[in-house]
Amino acid sequence: MALKGAEIMKRLPKTNCKECGYATCFAFAMKLATGGAKLEDCPYLAPEVKAELEAAMAPPIKLVTIGVDENALVIGEEEVMFRHEKTFFHEPGIAILISDKESDSDIEKKIKDIKEFHFERIGKELKINLLALSFESGDKTKFETLVKKAYETTDFALILICNNIDVLFSAAALCADRKPLVYPITKENIDLAIPKLKELRTPAGVKGESIEEIVSLTSTLKEAGLEEIVLDPGSKNVREGIRDQTFIRRAALKKGFRPLGYPTITFPCFMYQDKFKEALAAAAFITKYAGIIVISPADKHFLFPLLVHRFNIYTDPRRPMTVEENVYEISEPNEYSPILISTNYALDFFIVSGAIEEANIPAYLCIKDTGGIGVMAAWTSGKFNGEAIADFFKKYGIENKVKHRKLIIPGVAKKLKDELEEELPDWEIIFGPIEGSDIPKFLSKEWKK
Amino acid sequence: MKYEAPLEKYPVNIREAVLGKGEKAIKIGGENTFPFHFFEGSLPDPPGLALEVLDIQPENWSHWVLEPFQDVVSEPVKWAKRCVDVFGAEILCLRLLSTDPMGKDASPKQAAVIAKKVADAIDVPLIVWGTGTEEKDSRVLTEVARLCSGKNLLLGPVLKGNYEEIAQIALEHGHAIVAQASMDVNLTKELNIALCKFFPPEKIVLDTTSSALGYGLEYTFSIIENVKQIGLINRDNMMQMPILADFGGECWRSKEAKESKEQGILWEAITGITFLLAGANLLILRHPDTLKLIKEMISEKK
């Protein structure tokens, strides 16, 4: 929060009238500072004071939306430099660059390929968010054709990259209702751009040769009432990019410096020819604060690792990731296949299921819902003890799935064996390895048949 | 309000650890700022990049990661030399998997002989890694330390259950150690405090245990970032050792890495670059293409 309770207090009526629901103006001010109350609750704030307070209390990094409806990209409103301080909130958008220089058929193919990409991980879809359409042909008609094609045949949010201000905005008019990001707005074209931006009310990508240049651009835009802004500090490679992204985020979060309080856009596609380096640069920017990352078209083997990477970095460290409770069949088990059981903590699931696959031994993996906590903690809280697992067995009819009566339990759960021998007297309870990664060795040695 | 570059300066340094001896000895750590923050501090030592070799034939390695070493994987010395001479590894990591009690269960003496052969065959610093079985590693690394006395190896993993024996012998024979704690900042610090009662902190490298992309990368990333900051910003001198990340094997074991060479390389390289960005001072990699790629990325000048 940008403003402290004491600061807010200075602007309040100080009458302690209690109409806001709090005993004193000071109490109200403290609540406002933590976001527990709304300015509207005080009926005695003068409009200018309310506006001033609103601006000062606004999140340090503006929330910006590009695109509309379910494919809108929402970025900004970040609160920390390091995810372990709290979390990163809004996943950056990944944009794929298409140049209008290409032939119509190549463009069509690229768009078709991008539309057909489908990536997922533990049930969550990992999306490509935007198409970045680049004016490189020098031919206005060609660019407009590209923009029309992207607009009419896809639902992606759009970025229009065009260094000719007239061509840029005439193309933007063709897809205006999809709120495209128009880029670049620079010190050379900002005066021409402002009336057009006011008309279209579409987000603006501001580019400077330095951070100082960006500062003056965003201030000008803000004065004109335009605040849907994304920043490009003109970094030429990863090293500069890390520096610039760090400066912008520090200035916004730690110094409350409003002219840099906007999400950013980065262009690995323009920094590197080599696809591998471009991918690494993209990963670096995902890690280091970028709001949008624009990459060249690539096949799924380049995209998938990046999408998983984004998913990982933007996972909320405060909440454990879970998978659904179920009896997972790995590599088509039959009635003689081994049965293993573990918790629904996503990481454990990955490690154990991956290890079983690696072992190339078909198996049933029982995953019990423990609220995402691991084996030992779940056992201690009664979510993964003998009784809980016996209930699971009943619920999923495990006895009917296999002819044998052997259950492999995590090696760390020392006391679970005795409990299960009591709850499931027909079953032989076997300790699996302590480390999930030892499962392949364990299964090939211990599991006959 | 005028814009001023928001520089941050920290008054302490991460310690510099020296690995190996002679001309090809390598220093890691020594920085007084965040990774790649050349604009506000000093990072005297580029991250160390190591390739790993096993002392047994690899099992279940995918074609793409086996290919660079296919013809030498049955001979650790040849494999090691391939990594150094052909693939330019400036650090080598030898995994003594033959000593695994659940596997070949080779004796400490047998393993030490292999370690010595490899150490003698290369001139770059050597990391010697056990199997993580506390009792066995203690005996194995003790033999290795004796037989390779004076070579300044980096011995690991040193754990809560065996640090006293291994650190003592490392001290006697002039080696450095990897102090390993599992994904927990407090456990990391506890082990360091216990070690530093008798072992020089500048000969310790930290391993907070790494997880691959898609398999817990974010846990490792945040722990490394956190440990680095506790050292630099909170000035906690029990957290000012350089950090290593060991993940090449886990990346290549994943089913994703086995889908294609490109995806495999990227799975390992993206994991690596992420840990460098967190503050890792040394990476243990498996594929030479990954090493080359990361090296080129971190060597680029402004």
Side-chain angles (χ1 to χ4, degrees):
Chain A
M1 273 276 94
L3 214 55
K4 293 203 171 72
E7 283 299 309
I8 298 174
M9 178 62 183
K10 291 183 189 157
R11 316 304 312 277
L12 296 183
K14 302 185 203 51
T15 54
N16 298 337
C17 73
K18 299 191 182 39
E19 288 188 38
C20 60
Y22 294 91
T24 60
C25 290
F26 186 69
F28 182 55
M30 294 310 286
K31 266 295 173 179
L32 279 174
T34 56
K38 292 196 295 293
L39 279 172
E40 289 73 56
D41 296 341
C42 175
Y44 300 107
L45 282 176
E48 329 82 64
V49 175
K50 183 153 177 275
E52 257 186 71
L53 279 174
E54 248 166 19
M57 282 164 54
I61 299 177
K62 178 92 182 55
L63 194 73
V64 173
T65 305
I66 298 162
V68 294
D69 302 332
E70 50 173 45
N71 287 326
L73 174 72
V74 179
I75 49 176
E77 275 189 14
E78 297 297 334
E79 294 179 16
V80 292
M81 298 297 298
F82 303 105
R83 62 187 287 284
H84 65 258
E85 293 175 308
K86 201 179 207 179
T87 183
F88 289 153
F89 285 100
H90 295 104
E91 275 194 359
I94 290 185
I96 300 191
L97 180 78
I98 302 184
S99 163
D100 71 342
K101 255 190 341 209
E102 316 237 10
S103 71
D104 283 349
S105 56
D106 280 350
I107 287 175
E108 238 181 80
K109 176 148 196 325
K110 285 205 166 102
I111 291 183
K112 178 171 178 289
D113 287 345
I114 296 170
K115 277 171 79 173
E116 283 171 9
F117 282 134
H118 177 75
F119 302 106
E120 74 160 56
R121 196 150 183 92
I122 47 169
K124 179 182 154 157
E125 195 195 344
L126 308 180
K127 284 165 86 157
I128 303 288
N129 312 90
L130 315 113
L131 294 179
L133 310 170
S134 182
F135 175 62
E136 292 171 25
S137 64
D139 177 348
K140 177 179 180 195
T141 316
K142 253 195 145 254
F143 187 57
E144 289 182 350
T145 306
L146 170 60
V147 172
K148 258 187 267 188
K149 189 115 212 151
Y151 176 67
E152 284 163 13
T153 67
T154 82
D155 293 329
F156 289 108
L158 303 173
I159 304 175
L160 306 184
I161 302 176
C162 176
N163 53 19
N164 177 317
I165 195 82
D166 296 313
V167 175
L168 178 59
F169 280 99
S170 70
L174 298 172
C175 56
D177 64 351
R178 201 179 290 175
K179 300 290 170 210
L181 178 70
V182 294
Y183 169 93
I185 306 305
T186 64
K187 68 176 195 270
E188 283 81 24
N189 66 24
I190 186 168
D191 294 328
L192 288 173
I194 285 181
K196 300 192 200 231
L197 286 168
K198 280 187 176 174
E199 194 194 335
L200 281 177
R201 289 283 151 188
T202 204
V206 160
K207 180 175 178 181
E209 291 305 308
S210 67
I211 293 185
E212 284 81 359
E213 229 176 75
I214 290 179
V215 167
S216 102
L217 290 170
T218 64
S219 307
T220 306
L221 287 174
K222 185 165 179 182
E223 275 164 35
L226 297 161
E227 288 202 74
E228 298 279 303
I229 303 171
V230 174
L231 310 179
D232 174 12
S235 325
K236 297 198 184 47
N237 55 36
V238 172
R239 219 184 253 206
E240 286 186 14
I242 291 172
R243 177 199 64 198
D244 297 336
Q245 297 294 317
T246 301
F247 278 167
I248 290 171
R249 178 143 318 178
R250 270 186 196 162
L253 286 188
K254 293 181 161 192
K255 309 274 181 190
F257 189 67
R258 293 284 172 188
L260 292 175
Y262 302 97
T264 59
I265 180 169
T266 58
F267 295 93
C269 57
F270 297 142
M271 290 178 179
Y272 299 96
Q273 295 269 40
D274 178 292
K275 277 187 138 37
F276 287 90
K277 289 189 184 167
E278 188 184 323
L280 285 201
F285 293 134
I286 287 172
T287 311
K288 285 283 165 187
Y289 316 133
I292 300 175
I293 293 107
V294 185
I295 55 176
S296 316
D299 79 14
K300 59 184 180 170
H301 294 151
F302 285 83
L303 294 173
F304 183 56
L306 281 178
L307 292 168
V308 173
H309 182 257
R310 177 182 64 178
F311 182 35
N312 287 168
I313 297 288
Y314 277 76
T315 294
D316 185 341
R318 303 168 300 178
R319 285 193 218 119
M321 277 206 303
T322 59
V323 297
E324 280 219 21
E325 177 176 278
N326 208 344
V327 180
Y328 288 83
E329 299 184 4
I330 302 182
S331 313
E332 284 163 33
N334 61 28
E335 59 233 341
Y336 300 103
S337 298
I339 301 188
L340 299 89
I341 189 160
S342 187
T343 72
N344 74 337
Y345 174 42
L347 209 58
D348 280 351
F349 172 75
F350 265 129
I351 293 171
V352 174
S353 62
I356 296 174
E357 271 179 44
E358 194 191 323
N360 242 322
I361 294 176
Y364 290 98
L365 177 57
C366 298
I367 292 296
K368 166 111 188 37
D369 180 6
T370 58
I373 55 180
V375 173
M376 289 318 291
W379 177 83
T380 309
S381 61
K383 297 196 166 97
F384 199 71
N385 58 14
E387 203 184 308
I389 292 176
D391 286 343
F392 181 98
F393 263 46
K394 238 178 279 169
K395 181 173 174 189
Y396 290 92
I398 306 294
E399 313 228 321
N400 300 326
K401 291 196 189 283
V402 292
K403 288 211 150 72
H404 66 81
R405 288 289 175 263
K406 297 181 194 229
L407 173 63
I408 300 170
I409 64 172
V412 285
K414 299 291 177 213
K415 302 213 176 117
L416 188 54
K417 182 168 190 237
D418 293 336
E419 287 177 7
L420 280 171
E421 279 170 352
E422 226 188 276
E423 295 281 343
L424 301 169
D426 295 338
W427 286 76
E428 183 190 342
I429 310 299
I430 302 170
F431 278 123
I434 290 177
E435 295 288 339
S437 50
D438 287 329
I439 284 176
K441 229 178 296 176
F442 172 84
L443 281 177
S444 44
K445 245 185 162 177
E446 304 295 332
W447 191 262
K448 321 306 188 208
K449 215 184 222 157
Chain B
M1 204 173 162
K2 192 173 175 294
Y3 172 70
E4 264 176 45
L7 299 171
E8 286 178 11
K9 300 230 183 263
Y10 308 111
V12 301
N13 285 63
I14 298 300
R15 292 189 186 82
E16 218 173 30
V18 180
L19 310 177
K21 278 214 131 91
E23 248 182 48
K24 300 272 177 79
I26 294 227
K27 295 192 205 156
I28 56 168
E31 75 267 34
N32 66 5
T33 187
F34 291 124
F36 304 105
H37 284 207
F38 297 97
F39 50 87
E40 62 185 7
S42 136
L43 300 119
D45 306 322
L49 302 174
L51 281 181
E52 62 176 11
V53 313
L54 316 185
D55 71 340
I56 55 170
Q57 292 244 85
E59 279 164 35
N60 291 325
W61 279 27
S62 74
H63 161 73
W64 295 291
V65 76
L66 194 54
E67 201 207 356
F69 320 105
Q70 219 158 283
D71 53 325
V72 291
V73 288
S74 51
E75 296 170 79
V77 170
K78 283 198 176 149
W79 188 352
K81 286 183 80 61
R82 168 78 54 92
C83 288
V84 176
D85 301 336
V86 175
F87 297 130
E90 50 188 17
I91 305 172
L92 195 82
C93 177
L94 172 65
R95 308 260 188 207
L96 296 176
L97 296 187
S98 66
T99 65
D100 186 355
M102 289 224 289
K104 245 172 97 180
D105 200 13
S107 73
K109 277 220 156 50
Q110 288 168 313
V113 164
I114 299 174
K116 175 116 190 355
K117 281 199 180 127
V118 170
D120 286 342
I122 58 175
D123 50 2
V124 302
L126 180 63
I127 306 172
V128 178
W129 204 271
T131 58
T133 324
E134 280 178 355
E135 195 275 326
K136 186 67 183 284
D137 278 355
S138 182
R139 293 187 285 124
V140 168
L141 295 178
T142 295
E143 270 312 300
V144 171
R146 286 199 185 117
L147 208 57
C148 301
S149 189
K151 286 186 182 289
N152 193 25
L153 308 177
L154 179 61
L155 303 173
V158 171
L159 301 161
K160 188 165 158 195
N162 61 15
Y163 75 90
E164 278 158 335
E165 304 86 58
I166 304 181
Q168 190 54 47
I169 208 88
L171 189 57
E172 279 168 34
H173 292 278
H175 302 299
I177 61 173
V178 179
Q180 188 190 75
S182 196
M183 295 274 205
D184 184 304
V185 166
N186 294 319
L187 293 179
T188 301
K189 181 163 171 171
E190 265 172 42
L191 180 56
N192 292 346
I193 291 175
L195 275 167
C196 290
K197 293 204 165 93
F198 65 98
F199 192 83
E202 63 275 7
K203 288 188 90 70
I204 300 175
V205 177
L206 305 182
D207 178 6
T208 58
T209 310
S210 299
S211 297
L213 175 65
Y215 291 86
L217 164 130
E218 67 274 22
Y219 292 92
T220 304
F221 173 73
S222 287
I223 297 241
I224 294 179
E225 270 206 318
N226 207 356
V227 170
K228 187 68 65 169
Q229 283 173 40
I230 295 172
L232 273 183
I233 304 182
N234 301 14
R235 310 190 202 182
D236 187 333
N237 69 3
M238 282 295 103
M239 300 287 246
Q240 282 164 4
M241 299 78 168
I243 300 170
L244 71 71
D246 175 22
F247 55 90
E250 191 186 330
C251 285
W252 285 98
R253 272 197 294 279
S254 72
K255 62 178 190 233
E256 291 82 4
K258 293 178 182 176
E259 291 234 355
S260 73
K261 185 175 176 188
E262 292 81 25
Q263 191 155 291
I265 300 287
L266 282 177
W267 214 263
E268 192 180 27
I270 287 177
T271 304
I273 207 92
T274 305
F275 297 156
L276 287 181
L277 288 166
N281 303 95
L282 189 157
L283 304 181
I284 305 181
L285 305 167
R286 187 169 279 186
H287 202 294
D289 286 7
T290 313
L291 185 142
K292 182 163 179 286
L293 176 59
I294 293 183
K295 191 169 175 109
E296 283 172 15
M297 288 300 289
I298 63 180
S299 307
E300 69 179 13
K301 296 284 186 256
K302 220 172 127 172

